Amino acid sequence: MIADGATDKGSVTTVRRIGETIRRPVGEWTSAVHALLTHLERVGFTRAPRVLGTDGTDEVLSLVHGEPAFSPWPSALRSTLGISELGCWLSEYHDAVRDFQPPADARWQGQEDAWSPGMIIRHGDLGPWNSIWNSDHLAGFIDWDFAAPGHALDDLAQLAWYAVPLRPVEQQRRASIAGEHTLRIRLDALCAAYGARPADVLDALEAVQSREAKRIERLGRQGHEPWATFLARGDVSEMVAERSWLRSQRTVLLSGSGC
């Protein structure tokens, strides 16, 4: 956990801890994200930061206690129970957010689609690095800056991409997760906990990867951060390779799942 008074720089922003709060720079999307987090608190969804206000150019959020799941992953996330807990968390989040209607003037970072009935507000950055764990318990997810309108299945697909992980062998090894059998078991466990068909998740993930590669190309070439950084470091070619890997592994990943 980040120490009191310390700062932590991620790939997108820098945060600072002061006591039981986290401070991070305000963006044009902050008021919309605050409306979302306030809704979650109001309906009793506890495994997300609470909005405590603003302080100058910073937003102030409650501290979520625990440790983020950086590589190599903690044993809790490497377990079947851990991946199942992620699926349960996402199902509970989607239930909590389903009746949230964004403010009419809401602006979301990197927004691609306007909100319409039938959509939800996705977390938008469901990687293990944003999951916080207390021993074997998932405390919640942080870093909601990429929240934006979208479809629920796309959130699940993104979570499967990064947390199963549905990625080539090198990425599996970094997470200390490897092997077709292990990936299949973890995908099945995640989908069962959420209540979705693995085949539908794989279809959604292909679409998510394609759209994200195009977004990085478009916004990166326009000089918008963090997409300009993503473009410069080669994320587009990496996503193309990962989509190709996913297609090559589809039959194996769905073997015995009942689709």
Side-chain angles (χ1 to χ4, degrees):
M1 180 188 299
I2 183 173
D4 191 5
T7 59
D8 188 14
K9 182 175 177 58
S11 62
V12 176
T13 191
T14 298
V15 302
R16 179 166 51 109
R17 177 182 172 184
I18 298 179
E20 291 297 297
T21 70
I22 291 292
R23 315 294 175 102
R24 57 193 302 143
V26 168
E28 61 181 9
W29 55 86
T30 299
S31 61
V33 173
H34 283 191
L36 169 63
L37 294 177
T38 299
H39 167 83
L40 295 179
E41 182 181 6
R42 185 168 60 247
V43 299
F45 185 80
T46 60
R47 291 195 286 178
R50 290 181 294 108
V51 176
L52 301 177
T54 58
D55 181 9
T57 59
D58 288 342
E59 65 172 339
V60 184
L61 303 172
S62 66
L63 176 69
V64 179
H65 283 263
E67 299 294 337
F70 294 127
S71 297
W73 291 350
S75 59
L77 181 53
R78 296 199 308 270
S79 73
T80 303
L81 288 176
I83 193 71
S84 296
E85 189 164 4
L86 290 179
C88 290
W89 178 92
L90 189 59
S91 177
E92 292 169 4
Y93 166 61
H94 286 168
D95 286 344
V97 79
R98 211 167 298 277
D99 63 351
F100 171 67
Q101 294 194 11
D105 61 349
R107 301 187 68 178
W108 307 94
Q109 184 171 203
Q111 181 174 352
E112 295 183 286
D113 300 310
W115 183 89
S116 63
M119 285 185 169
I120 62 161
I121 301 301
R122 295 177 52 201
H123 177 280
D125 195 13
L126 288 174
W129 53 87
N130 284 331
S131 67
I132 303 297
W133 297 82
N134 275 322
S135 185
D136 60 351
H137 172 68
L138 177 66
F141 271 81
I142 59 172
D143 289 357
W144 291 73
D145 282 2
F146 283 110
H151 296 283
L153 192 59
D154 291 345
D155 250 356
L156 180 59
Q158 185 183 56
L159 185 59
W161 183 7
Y162 292 123
V164 169
L166 297 180
R167 311 185 75 180
V169 173
E170 180 182 353
Q171 297 289 351
Q172 296 171 36
R173 287 173 177 162
R174 290 179 185 174
S176 298
I177 298 287
E180 298 169 350
H181 178 69
T182 300
L183 295 184
R184 185 169 64 247
I185 289 174
R186 289 175 64 80
L187 175 62
D188 287 349
L190 176 68
C191 291
Y194 181 87
R197 298 170 67 245
D200 293 338
V201 173
L202 296 188
D203 289 342
L205 178 52
E206 275 203 52
V208 165
Q209 290 172 328
S210 178
R211 288 198 307 272
E212 186 57 27
K214 291 176 181 177
R215 180 167 69 160
I216 292 171
E217 284 272 13
R218 184 178 69 257
L219 297 181
R221 293 192 184 283
Q222 293 172 4
H224 296 298
E225 289 293 356
W227 294 276
T229 296
F230 297 162
L231 181 63
R233 74 184 183 188
D235 284 17
V236 171
S237 59
E238 183 177 29
M239 285 183 186
V240 170
E242 293 200 15
R243 190 178 182 206
S244 176
W245 175 89
L246 184 67
R247 286 177 170 175
S248 74
Q249 297 298 307
R250 182 183 179 92
T251 300
V252 173
L253 291 169
L254 296 179
S255 175
S257 71
C259 298

